[in-house]
Amino acid sequence: MAKKTVASLQTSSKRLTKAIKMVKSPKSGAYTFVESVMAPEVVNEWLAKK
């Protein structure tokens, strides 16, 4: 389960996107959220990897 945020961040001349991914812990089974700020081109790759 993954969710891409709509927020777009602008710093100088580079566009960045903040992505949030829900990750299930193997030990407890609880879900945690992992956030990352990256270029829009690599968001789908980041969301696809486990």
Side-chain angles (χ1 to χ4, degrees), residues 5-48:
T5 61
V6 181
S8 231
L9 308 172
Q10 198 105 20
T11 57
S12 63
S13 63
K14 190 163 187 145
R15 268 192 68 215
L16 298 173
T17 302
K18 181 178 182 181
I20 302 173
K21 181 170 37 173
M22 223 164 77
V23 179
K24 187 173 185 178
S25 170
K27 288 185 179 179
S28 66
Y31 286 96
T32 59
F33 293 94
V34 179
E35 296 182 17
S36 183
V37 177
M38 64 196 81
E41 298 83 31
V42 296
V43 170
N44 288 334
E45 295 171 17
W46 184 76
L47 290 174

